[in-house]
Amino acid sequence: MQLKNIKNYYPDNISYDHRFQYFRSEDGQDFYESFPLFTKKYKLCINPDTGIICSISKEIYSLYPAGFTIVEVDELPDGVDISGGWLFDGQKVVRRIPTHGERVAKAKLEKATLMQKASAAIAPLQDAVDLDMTTEAERAQFIAWKKYRVLLNRVDISTAPDIAWPEAPEGEKMGN
């Protein structure tokens, strides 16, 4: 069973309270009247244009269908979730391969995060340098972090996902 491009609508004869939401597919099938037609184990709300899975439920009535297409399957792959990495290909749920643009955007965010962490590590060391109060260890850390930040700034994110990220200075591992 499948309901394509579900939208809100207002029926001529309102069966429930006027605050109740009504939904129907692009071919006019009422969402609530279609409940008995869904017989498979899992119901999925998918983006009607991309097939990307936005929600998963065993119970059709727990889905909010507006703006989605609803499909059903009996099996889901291990690890499936609704974070954008899975899609319904017309027959089954499969891993989605991100576009190059999505990979570049992810790399851009990663680079910005790493630059911010490097700058945060450099700031107090810069104060010690400016005030001529550095220890040898602080000076070494300061230089290591600045070199790291320069190398990080030179990373070409257009090659994502094949990026050779520079290593953060020893003793200061940064979480990703």
Side-chain angles (χ1 to χ4, degrees), residues 44-46 51-56 80-82 84 86-88 93:
L44 315 170
C45 279
I46 63 171
I52 295 173
I53 299 171
C54 300
S55 60
I56 302 170
V80 69
D81 60 32
I82 59 171
W86 296 88
L87 61 84
F88 180 73
V93 174

Side-chain angles (χ1 to χ4, degrees), residues 114 147-153 155 163-168:
L114 294 174
K147 284 181 180 179
Y148 170 74
R149 190 168 62 176
V150 168
L151 293 173
L152 190 58
N153 191 53
V155 168
I163 296 174
W165 295 100
E167 294 267 338

